[in-house]
Amino acid sequence: MTKPQLDRGAGRPSRRERVREATLVEIKEIARRHLVEQGAAGVSLRAIAREMGMTAPGLYRYVSGIDSLLVLITADMFGELAAAVAAADASVPSEDTDLRILTSLRAFRSWAVTHRAEFATMFGPRVRLAPGTDVTPALEAGRRFGATFYTLFDRLLSEERFPLPDGARITPELARELRAFADTCGFSAPHIPVEAVMVLSTCWVRLYGVVCMEVFEHMNFVMRDMEPLFESELQNILTGLGVRYQAP
Amino acid sequence: MTKPQLDRGAGRPSRRERVREATLVEIKEIARRHLVEQGAAGVSLRAIAREMGMTAPGLYRYVSGIDSLLVLITADMFGELAAAVAAADASVPSEDTDLRILTSLRAFRSWAVTHRAEFATMFGPRVRLAPGTDVTPALEAGRRFGATFYTLFDRLLSEERFPLPDGARITPELARELRAFADTCGFSAPHIPVEAVMVLSTCWVRLYGVVCMEVFEHMNFVMRDMEPLFESELQNILTGLGVRYQAP
DNA sequence: CGCTTTAGTGAACGCCGTTAGCAAACACCG
DNA sequence: CGGTGTTTGCTAACGGCGTTCACTAAAGCG
């Protein structure tokens, strides 16, 4: 019987760190399942602990409270959403920018409607978290998610697919905000024109609008299936961008 | 000293009914304040009762539980929003359809950003309510709110301000959903074309998108002031509808 | 005056988040 | 191996929550 060697020379995680990481993952998995099955209000440290065969205070060795746990899984979910979109994007030929965009946007909606509870906590109002909670991990993950689309848009931009709107119609205040947007997002292009950021914002707002409306079930009593409306909006948006649309 | 006559002949509310109604109003007022000050998670029967100088079980004489109380105040809030929009609409000359629309839409956003907590519970995901809760009162109120805009849109339509989109580009599925929309909403026009409903939906989606994004603070770390973007979107939308836009 | 309906209370149950103190398990060092 | 400090998870406890039930006191009404 050979005893396991403790060769964690180059920052290799020790056994303790590994099992610790594993239980943290388990905590997050259970929390996530409760979120999906019972909504954000149904996630509780006590219930998680119960299911793990331990008690609630024990969880505080892994998580500093329910709020920070929610922030943690929110960040994870942004990662998953980004991965889902990236996977869809990679599933089509990389030269076909049009199809890549179409596919990516559809993937966004698909993920949203198949992960309603997740989407609600990611993109809905912060209703569960106490005000003043540190949400930077989630924000960071959200930023990384956004980058997925920025690169695609960047490519579209460099291919000069669509005419930029008249810069004169952009008020100084709007220009300032758009510039702040571009700077914070870290566009790859060093000097992207505000007009382009404007177009991107508009498109994103429209997309966000349809998907939120569908996931939050706001037209539920008036429209059974929202996919046709999404496809229609998608077509409008893409056409405006000079991108080829094709029915699903 | 004349004793109060009990002349509640024609369904006039008795004294008991009046005071009962008054305490219900008080309950809703306090709940509302707690909602504003501490978010949806901060509304609790016990806290309300404490503030009223009574105990939580007593509230069950007026409200069948916390969920139904939330539904009640949600319905009230839809009423207030509709009233705010209607007031703004009535504050400009009634012949000037363009200005009426512009003013009404701005009023919608204004109300939303000055009543963030309310807007979040009205238009955000149902996160607090247990699944299966009866939300029909809120839905009804929401429907009435929508009617505010339908009439304005109807007027726009009859003035033939904008060209209807090509009906051939509306898929059968979308047409079905749009027709359901038109039917359920009870448009005044008996036979409104699906193309028109299509335009209305698109506009509403875009409006909903900007406002949600602003209220839910989703671009907070990237854009300080969202009003310029809203105004820009508003201009786009109205221009597309053939409605005169003017800066605020 | 009595009788009925209503408003409100207190106690209790079972949930929740969170803190503090404590005991066992573990990793490590001489 | 034994000793030592760290990590882990426990129990107990506090206060808050929604909700139910049995009960009292008041109000209304004849």
Side-chain angles (χ1 to χ4, degrees):
Chain A
M1 293 291 194
T2 65
K3 263 182 137 182
Q5 288 289 98
L6 298 184
D7 60 335
R8 55 188 160 105
R12 190 84 85 278
S14 72
R15 162 174 173 74
R16 234 186 185 145
E17 286 165 333
R18 271 183 293 122
V19 49
R20 181 183 173 77
E21 195 55 35
T23 53
L24 178 58
V25 167
E26 186 185 358
I27 292 173
K28 293 196 289 187
E29 278 173 356
I30 300 181
R32 174 69 166 281
R33 191 157 40 74
H34 289 183
L35 172 70
V36 170
E37 290 170 359
Q38 319 178 23
V43 181
S44 83
L45 290 181
R46 288 194 125 108
I48 296 171
R50 211 179 300 133
E51 189 167 328
M52 294 177 64
M54 55 186 285
T55 60
L59 297 184
Y60 279 76
R61 300 283 176 196
Y62 300 89
V63 159
S64 63
I66 183 69
D67 283 10
S68 86
L69 173 58
L70 288 174
V71 172
L72 273 187
I73 66 177
T74 302
D76 284 0
M77 296 184 302
F78 270 112
E80 290 176 36
L81 171 56
V85 172
D89 181 35
S91 75
V92 298
S94 78
E95 325 83 54
D96 192 345
T97 312
D98 299 60
L99 188 57
R100 285 178 60 185
I101 295 200
L102 182 69
T103 310
S104 297
L105 297 186
R106 280 212 185 105
F108 174 65
R109 168 182 174 270
S110 294
W111 194 92
V113 298
T114 54
H115 299 78
R116 292 173 182 259
E118 290 94 327
F119 185 88
T121 64
M122 294 159 72
F123 293 93
R126 314 196 188 299
V127 117
R128 174 85 200 263
L129 269 47
T133 311
D134 177 34
V135 291
T136 34
L139 284 183
E140 257 310 299
R143 207 190 50 73
R144 276 195 299 275
F145 160 72
T148 312
F149 286 122
Y150 302 153
T151 54
L152 274 175
F153 183 76
D154 229 24
R155 179 153 168 173
L156 213 58
L157 197 62
S158 64
E159 291 181 12
E160 299 189 6
R161 289 303 197 75
F162 53 95
L164 291 182
D166 184 8
R169 280 182 37 187
I170 299 181
T171 65
E173 301 87 24
L174 181 54
R176 183 163 37 80
E177 299 297 332
L178 291 175
R179 189 124 295 291
F181 180 18
D183 290 347
T184 328
C185 287
F187 263 106
S188 39
H191 236 51
I192 187 167
V194 282
E195 290 87 354
V197 188
M198 165 85 207
V199 172
L200 176 62
S201 301
T202 303
C203 292
W204 174 237
V205 159
R206 293 176 68 174
L207 198 72
Y208 178 82
V210 234
V211 176
C212 276
M213 197 164 257
E214 178 168 10
V215 174
F216 299 166
E217 303 185 330
H218 251 288
M219 306 220 104
N220 234 12
F221 67 119
V222 86
M223 218 180 226
R224 268 199 11 267
D225 182 12
M226 291 275 294
E227 181 174 0
L229 186 58
F230 169 80
E231 285 294 331
S232 161
E233 274 294 289
L234 187 57
Q235 179 168 19
N236 282 345
I237 295 173
L238 292 187
T239 307
L241 287 176
V243 171
R244 181 186 83 245
Y245 169 86
Q246 61 193 68
Chain B
M1 291 291 195
T2 66
K3 264 180 137 184
Q5 289 289 99
L6 298 185
D7 59 337
R8 57 193 160 103
R12 190 82 85 277
S14 72
R15 159 170 176 77
R16 235 188 182 141
E17 287 164 333
R18 272 184 291 122
V19 50
R20 181 183 173 77
E21 195 55 35
T23 53
L24 178 58
V25 167
E26 186 184 358
I27 291 172
K28 294 196 290 187
E29 279 174 355
I30 299 181
R32 175 70 168 281
R33 192 156 41 73
H34 289 183
L35 172 71
V36 171
E37 289 170 358
Q38 318 178 23
V43 180
S44 83
L45 290 181
R46 287 193 124 108
I48 295 171
R50 210 178 301 133
E51 190 167 326
M52 294 177 65
M54 57 186 282
T55 61
L59 296 185
Y60 280 75
R61 299 283 176 195
Y62 300 90
V63 160
S64 65
I66 184 69
D67 283 10
S68 86
L69 173 58
L70 288 174
V71 172
L72 273 187
I73 66 177
T74 303
D76 283 1
M77 295 184 303
F78 269 112
E80 290 176 34
L81 171 56
V85 171
D89 182 35
S91 75
V92 299
S94 77
E95 325 83 54
D96 192 345
T97 312
D98 299 61
L99 187 56
R100 284 177 62 184
I101 296 198
L102 181 70
T103 309
S104 297
L105 296 186
R106 281 213 185 102
F108 175 64
R109 169 183 173 269
S110 292
W111 195 92
V113 298
T114 54
H115 300 78
R116 292 173 181 260
E118 291 94 327
F119 184 88
T121 65
M122 294 159 71
F123 293 94
R126 314 199 187 296
V127 115
R128 174 83 198 265
L129 268 47
T133 311
D134 177 36
V135 292
T136 33
L139 284 183
E140 257 310 300
R143 207 190 50 72
R144 275 195 301 276
F145 161 70
T148 312
F149 286 121
Y150 302 152
T151 54
L152 275 174
F153 184 76
D154 229 24
R155 178 152 170 174
L156 212 58
L157 196 62
S158 64
E159 291 181 12
E160 299 190 8
R161 290 303 198 77
F162 55 93
L164 290 183
D166 182 7
R169 282 182 37 187
I170 298 182
T171 66
E173 302 88 23
L174 181 54
R176 183 164 35 82
E177 300 296 333
L178 291 175
R179 189 124 296 291
F181 181 18
D183 289 347
T184 327
C185 286
F187 263 105
S188 38
H191 236 49
I192 188 167
V194 282
E195 291 87 351
V197 188
M198 165 85 206
V199 171
L200 177 62
S201 301
T202 303
C203 292
W204 175 236
V205 159
R206 293 176 71 175
L207 199 71
Y208 178 82
V210 234
V211 176
C212 276
M213 197 163 257
E214 178 167 9
V215 173
F216 299 165
E217 303 186 329
H218 249 287
M219 306 220 104
N220 233 11
F221 66 119
V222 85
M223 218 180 226
R224 270 198 10 266
D225 181 10
M226 291 274 294
E227 180 173 359
L229 186 59
F230 168 80
E231 284 295 330
S232 160
E233 276 293 291
L234 187 57
Q235 179 169 17
N236 282 345
I237 296 173
L238 292 187
T239 307
L241 286 176
V243 171
R244 180 184 84 246
Y245 170 86
Q246 62 192 67

